[in-house]
Amino acid sequence: MELVSQIINDLVDDQKSLNSALLKTKVLASRIQNVELLDWVNSELSGYKNYADLPIYRKNIFNDLKGIYINGSMKYSNIQIPTAGLDKEFENSLRSIEFMESINGLEKLIKSEESSTLTSPIRAETTALIEENFQNMGNPYLRVISVYRVISKNSIIEIVNNVRNKLLDFMLEIDSKFGDITEIKDLRMKKEEVSSIVNHIIINGDGNVLNSGDKAQIKNSPKIKKMTKEQLSTELKKVGLETEDINELAEIIDDEIPDIANNKFGLNVNKWIGKMRNKAVDGSWNVSIGAAGSILAEIVQKYYGM
């Protein structure tokens, strides 16, 4: 089918904006009358309106917290801001961020500056709470001038790559199963089969993650009983993590209570996931950048019973 082939060609060119492939997918979804695919594409094109609809690959993105403060006669700039002592839920909200923006908006953020990081200011009333906590740690005369989030551009690149990978996997599956179909109206007759592929690959994830290294793929269908560390370790080994990294997670994962209602992990678990993402970026963990975060998030969710 010509339209599917065009979308595949757009997707394999990673120098081309993802917007083009998404717009063509919107046409395809509309013509074959697939509501699930159309809703997902519209959200990626226009941005997500509700947190509840946000896919996991856009949630719990780790960020550093830095700022400017004065202590006595000394002024400190671009310094890590401590948050120990704050309410855990509040602290987690400061240390992670969600991206609701459209793919086009995310691509513009990636190209916006030469720096490898982006910054986002914290509101004044929140800064005042951070200052009060800082003072309570033994610095009564300390004044916090400003606080801001520092987000790695790699985290945003990962979101875009995740969407690209999901869409490419979907189109390749459609091409493989229905490549002999030339007319849209004939593909529309396969409505239930197409919906199953949409749910399997795009909405829920198909568990097959393309690898950026020598391995063809990593199978990611975690089977973990709640709070079972032995099974957690086994699943992490399956996706290629080193024993040292697995042990590091095992030491911290039970020290925090996840926010199950809002599908959020604790601060230290988020930091660990961020560290593993960086390993995917520099090649020391042999898995695609776009899939790294979602693989680990799914495994940790299973462990917590989320």
Side-chain angles (χ1 to χ4, degrees), residues 17-42:
S17 170
L18 188 52
N19 226 48
S20 173
L22 285 169
L23 286 169
K24 289 175 183 176
T25 302
K26 181 173 181 176
V27 173
L28 176 66
S30 178
R31 287 180 178 175
I32 65 175
Q33 299 175 358
N34 190 283
V35 176
E36 297 97 336
L37 181 60
L38 188 59
D39 286 346
W40 178 76
V41 169
N42 279 333

